[in-house]
């Protein structure tokens, strides 16, 4: 039997479409799960080799369900990311007219992406959240709701019609998906990589966040995502989910992570993996003084000073 990839299901989600863009997906059994949590738990339990889940969209930022699952529980690691352009269709049972739509459903992450369209075209419709956009389509098929925001490709799967297509409030909206597995050695640097970590402060004091960010800034590392998440310890207690340009094998990134390990209560490494938005040829040039060669030359100079050879 082929190894399996879990993904946020049911069949017909944007997650499934994005997953099928990975070449290795063709050699895996793709198994839908009802939630991000259950897909990731399948990996933790050894029931799946990896899980493919949404983690960020260009309208609302980080998807908190996924971030919180990666922050808590048995550690997992990100191996790949995929970007998918997103537009929605309003899926209904055959014969339904726009005036008939009193209830609509979709994944909570979809609501900010269609909010203005809803206000203009269905101002009185009641929004009901679903586990995924495809699950919302299934619930429409069963008669639970009148319409679902989902990919147009899901209509045939659930016996629905696309009453409206091309729905989006923001042009060029994208969702980022990640392939998550059990911790192992990261792949070698590609030349255009991203490193993800979660940081917990030792205590709350003026400049505490600046101290964390300074470990990146002083080494010329650009941040791509910074999102706070509550730790559950009470109001004002947060950890920070960060995506930064670079790979843990880079000297500047390794030194930044060592610095964070010294000053943080806890650091969770979530992986170093190739970026989906650029190729190595288009990667941002490193700031002067931040290349591996310059870090090694500086370390050699310190060693010579310690030996009296300066």
């Amino acid at each position: 039997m082929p190894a399996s990839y879990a993904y946020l299901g049911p069949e017909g989600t944007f997650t499934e479409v994005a997953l099928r863009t990975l070449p290795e997906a063709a050699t895996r059994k793709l198994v839908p799960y009802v939630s991000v949590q259950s897909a990731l738990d399948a990996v933790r339990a050894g029931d799946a080799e990896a899980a493919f889940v949404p983690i960020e969209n260009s309208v609302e930022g980080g998807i908190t369900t996924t971030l919180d699952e990666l922050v808590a529980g048995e550690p997992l690691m990100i191996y790949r990311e995929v970007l998918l352009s997103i537009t929605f269709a309003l899926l209904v049972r055959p014969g339904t007219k726009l005036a008939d739509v009193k209830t609509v459903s979709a994944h909570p992450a979809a609501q900010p992406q269609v909010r203005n369209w809803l206000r203009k075209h269905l101002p009185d419709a009641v929004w009901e959240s679903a586990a995924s956009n495809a699950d919302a389509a299934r619930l429409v098929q069963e008669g639970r709701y009148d319409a679902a925001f989902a990919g147009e490709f899901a209509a045939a799967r659930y016996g629905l019609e696309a009453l409206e297509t091309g729905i989006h409030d923001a042009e060029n909206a994208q969702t980022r998906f990640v392939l998550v597995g059990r911790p192992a050695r990261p792949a070698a640097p590609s030349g255009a990589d991203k490193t993800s970590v979660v940081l917990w402060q030792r205590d709350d004091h003026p400049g505490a966040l600046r101290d964390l960010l300074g470990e990146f800034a002083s080494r010329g590392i650009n941040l791509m995502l910074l999102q706070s998440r509550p730790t559950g310890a009470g109001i004002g207690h947060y950890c920070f989910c960060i995506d930064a340009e670079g790979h843990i094998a880079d000297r500047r990134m390794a030194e930044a992570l060592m610095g964070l390990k010294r000053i943080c209560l806890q650091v969770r490494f979530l992986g170093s993996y190739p970026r989906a938005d650029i190729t190595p040829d288009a990667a941002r040039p490193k700031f002067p003084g931040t290349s591996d060669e310059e870090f090694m030359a500086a370390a050699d100079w310190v060693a010579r000073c310690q030996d009296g050879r300066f």
Side-chain angles (χ1 to χ4, degrees), residues 15-30:
T15 307
E16 182 187 9
V17 171
L19 172 57
R20 291 187 181 277
T21 68
L22 292 178
E24 59 266 38
T27 63
R28 304 300 197 274
K29 180 182 179 183
L30 307 185

Side-chain angles (χ1 to χ4, degrees), residues 238-249:
Y238 296 93
C239 60
F240 298 94
C241 301
I242 290 177
D243 287 347
E245 288 182 346
H247 194 282
I248 192 172

